[in-house]
């Protein structure tokens, strides 16, 4: 009996020792994570600048100096004509119109700088970042870049209202090139979005002028040729090398490094980066962050998954919404599950899915504007509207634009002495041209006719 009792206590002691060892190891692991600091080995900012810099870079061909001149020269919009975006210049009060006229003349030097910039093949500025984080890249003249397109649109509308159609359309073509410069090449997703947004501002202003003015066929065809030549440069999203570097840089900043390309997620850094760059999310309690880091996939697993995800996303960008609809799936269904189990990467995966659909919408919008220009040129030359887009295509129009929500041509119908052009939108159903933002409320995305506002919205 004494022997058995002695053995029992030895087993208990051994078990207790094992538990203590496990607890000690867990405690040491937790303490290590609490005290961990990221090891910065790769200068991703320098790599980002290397990747984004044009291969044949020549300072004399860089539009940067001209844009800098534009931003420094343009005169801000006077208060009396601010917030008059829904008013055509000829409909302003006499005092407002005189102010607009004087202000427009003051901005001629700035418009010349814009035109010079538009002749350059690229716009490259060395990226800088607070604390070196690629997600925190600071754009030079960011305020001016947001305001300047609207100033150019107002100036173009003024010239169009005074009969200088060619001058107005040239300014909008130059503005469009600013968007191409910003969003083309090996750029980040946010820069692509910014560039496409600038292009869209120019499209809307063009449609406003077409809605308000009689434009001769030559001007319509010249502008159409310019837009067509730039389409491939602004297709988005492109999950580029520079965009991947942004993610790899973030991983380097929030994981430890064991010297063998592996490591653990750091709770303090996870909370910080989530607070700064995922502002729409709920605050992450530190205790929750600690548990996530203790159970999170390693740094190597995260890097490998990130690269695989980027490759899958790039392939998916070539699939239009109607094809996914036919397979009873969506971009989110295709992408989000790939990141299941990786808390760090899955944040924002739904946003990337929306980026892809947004890209298809922008492509459709670009092609719709080009088509509208072709239709109006056809009408100006022949004195009638084309009976169909097929007839337009037969008249040397490159190709009939395909609706990403139907897989068929955009819907075109002659309506009296005007026409309607639209996409069936995200409900995938033709509602006969019932206006709705991309079919979100059960209607269609109508490109023409534009709504009755100065911006053609």
């Amino acid at each position: 009996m004494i022997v058995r009792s002695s053995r029992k206590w030895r087993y208990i002691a051994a078990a207790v020792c094992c538990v203590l060892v496990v607890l000690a190891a867990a405690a040491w692991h937790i303490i290590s994570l609490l005290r961990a600091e990221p090891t910065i080995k790769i200068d991703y900012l320098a790599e980002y600048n290397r990747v984004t810099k044009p291969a044949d870079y020549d300072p004399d061909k860089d539009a940067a100096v001209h844009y800098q001149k534009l931003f420094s020269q343009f005169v801000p919009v006077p208060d009396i004509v601010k917030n008059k975006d829904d008013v055509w210049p000829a409909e302003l009060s006499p005092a407002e119109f005189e102010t607009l006229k004087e202000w427009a003349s003051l901005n001629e030097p700035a418009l010349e700088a814009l035109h010079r910039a538009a002749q350059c093949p690229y716009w490259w500025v060395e990226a800088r970042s607070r604390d070196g984080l690629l997600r925190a890249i600071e754009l030079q003249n960011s305020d001016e870049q947001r305001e300047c397109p609207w100033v150019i649109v107002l100036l173009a509308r003024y010239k169009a209202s005074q009969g200088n159609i060619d001058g107005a359309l040239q300014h909008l073509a130059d503005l469009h090139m600013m968007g191409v410069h910003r969003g083309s090449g090996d750029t980040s997703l946010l820069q692509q979005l910014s560039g496409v947004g600038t292009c869209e501002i120019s499209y809307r202003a063009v449609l406003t002028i077409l809605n308000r003015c009689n434009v001769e066929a030559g001007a319509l065809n010249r502008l159409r040729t310019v837009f067509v030549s730039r389409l491939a440069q602004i297709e988005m999203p492109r999950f580029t090398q520079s965009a991947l570097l942004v993610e790899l840089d973030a991983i380097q900043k929030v994981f430890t490094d064991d010297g063998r390309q592996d490591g653990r997620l750091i709770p303090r850094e996870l909370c910080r980066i989530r607070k700064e760059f995922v502002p729409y999310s709920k605050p992450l309690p530190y205790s929750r962050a600690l548990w996530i880091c203790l159970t999170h996939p390693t740094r190597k697993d995260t890097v490998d998954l990130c690269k695989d995800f980027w490759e899958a996303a790039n392939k998916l960008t070539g699939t239009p919404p109607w094809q996914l609809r036919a397979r009873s799936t969506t971009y989110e269904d295709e992408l989000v599950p790939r990141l299941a189990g990786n808390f760090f990467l899955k944040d924002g995966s739904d946003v990337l899915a929306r980026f892809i659909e947004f890209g298809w919408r922008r492509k459709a919008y670009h092609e719709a504007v080009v088509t509208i220009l072709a239709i109006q040129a056809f009408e100006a030359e022949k004195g009638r509207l084309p009976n169909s887009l097929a007839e337009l295509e037969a008249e040397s129009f490159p190709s009939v634009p395909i609706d990403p929500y139907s897989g068929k041509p955009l819907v075109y119908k002659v309506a009296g002495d005007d026409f309607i052009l639209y996409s069936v939108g995200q409900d995938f159903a033709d509602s006969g041209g019932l206006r709705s933002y991309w079919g979100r409320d059960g209607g269609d995305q109508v490109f023409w006719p534009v709504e009755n506002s100065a911006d053609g919205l």
Side-chain angles (χ1 to χ4, degrees), residues 6-303:
S6 175
R7 287 179 178 175
K8 176 181 178 182
W9 284 108
R10 283 202 299 270
Y11 291 150
I12 292 174
V16 170
C17 287
C18 289
V19 170
L20 290 175
V21 169
V22 170
L23 290 176
W28 175 254
H29 190 49
I30 292 173
I31 292 171
S32 297
L33 279 180
L34 294 176
R35 299 174 59 185
E37 296 287 344
T39 302
I40 310 304
K41 291 185 176 180
I42 301 176
D43 186 347
Y44 279 110
L45 182 59
E47 183 67 7
Y48 180 92
N49 281 317
R50 185 191 68 79
V51 167
T52 58
K53 190 174 185 179
D56 57 346
Y57 181 75
D58 180 347
D60 293 333
K61 296 180 180 179
D62 192 343
V65 64
H66 302 299
Y67 283 125
Q68 189 62 41
K69 192 173 183 179
L70 164 68
F71 298 143
S72 65
Q73 287 186 339
F74 84 79
V75 180
V77 181
D79 290 340
I80 192 174
V81 291
K82 273 187 177 179
N83 304 318
K84 296 289 184 177
D85 296 339
D86 59 343
V87 180
W88 186 247
E91 297 168 358
L92 295 170
S93 70
E96 292 169 340
F97 184 81
E98 285 303 314
T99 300
L100 176 63
K101 179 180 178 181
E102 180 180 353
W103 169 77
S105 65
L106 295 175
N107 276 289
E108 285 301 322
L111 291 172
E112 178 59 29
L114 172 67
H115 186 62
R116 288 181 180 275
Q119 310 311 306
C120 297
Y122 42 73
W123 177 15
W124 183 79
V125 179
E126 184 177 0
R128 298 175 182 176
S129 169
R130 65 179 188 273
D131 68 30
L133 193 67
L134 285 188
R135 287 189 180 183
I137 286 177
E138 299 172 350
L139 293 177
Q140 295 183 20
N141 303 110
S142 56
D143 291 340
E144 290 85 350
Q145 287 188 42
R146 284 191 296 269
E147 182 180 357
C148 194
W150 299 107
V151 172
I152 296 167
V153 165
L154 182 55
L155 291 167
R157 290 211 313 258
Y158 167 73
K159 287 195 174 182
S161 71
Q162 298 305 292
N164 187 357
I165 305 296
D166 287 341
L169 294 182
Q170 183 61 63
H171 296 331
L172 296 178
D174 292 343
L175 174 60
H176 184 268
M177 191 61 193
M178 178 192 287
V180 173
H181 276 150
R182 175 53 60 208
S184 61
D186 196 322
T187 53
S188 69
L189 292 174
L190 289 180
Q191 286 177 307
Q192 292 174 39
L193 184 62
S194 173
V196 170
T198 299
C199 290
E200 186 164 332
I201 290 172
S202 72
Y203 294 149
R204 290 175 176 174
V206 166
L207 294 182
T208 294
I209 291 174
L210 297 185
N211 191 42
R212 293 276 185 166
C213 308
N214 291 320
V215 184
E216 57 96 16
L220 293 167
N221 283 320
R222 285 192 296 272
L223 187 60
R224 176 172 65 87
T225 300
V226 167
F227 285 165
V228 168
S229 69
R230 299 171 181 172
L231 174 59
Q233 294 176 264
I234 55 173
E235 287 190 351
M236 67 158 294
R238 303 181 308 281
F239 294 91
T240 60
Q241 177 67 16
S242 65
L244 176 59
L245 291 177
V246 173
E247 298 305 311
L248 297 180
D249 178 60
I251 292 172
Q252 177 177 243
K253 297 293 198 308
V254 298
F255 279 80
T256 62
D257 185 348
D258 67 355
R260 298 184 299 276
Q261 299 183 338
D262 213 349
R264 307 298 306 185
L265 188 59
I266 304 171
R268 180 182 65 258
E269 296 300 323
L270 175 62
C271 289
R272 180 184 65 83
I273 202 167
R274 183 179 172 84
K275 180 180 179 181
E276 290 185 18
F277 299 105
V278 195
Y280 57 84
S281 63
K282 294 181 180 179
L284 184 64
Y286 194 82
S287 58
R288 169 67 175 153
L290 178 59
W291 175 251
I292 289 171
C293 293
L294 288 170
T295 58
H296 199 274
T298 67
R299 174 177 179 161
K300 186 178 186 306
D301 291 337
T302 300
V303 168

Side-chain angles (χ1 to χ4, degrees), residues 364-381:
Y365 188 28
H366 177 112
E367 293 183 337
V369 171
V370 168
T371 303
I372 291 166
L373 289 168
I375 292 170
Q376 294 207 351
F378 182 101
E379 182 181 26
E381 291 171 345

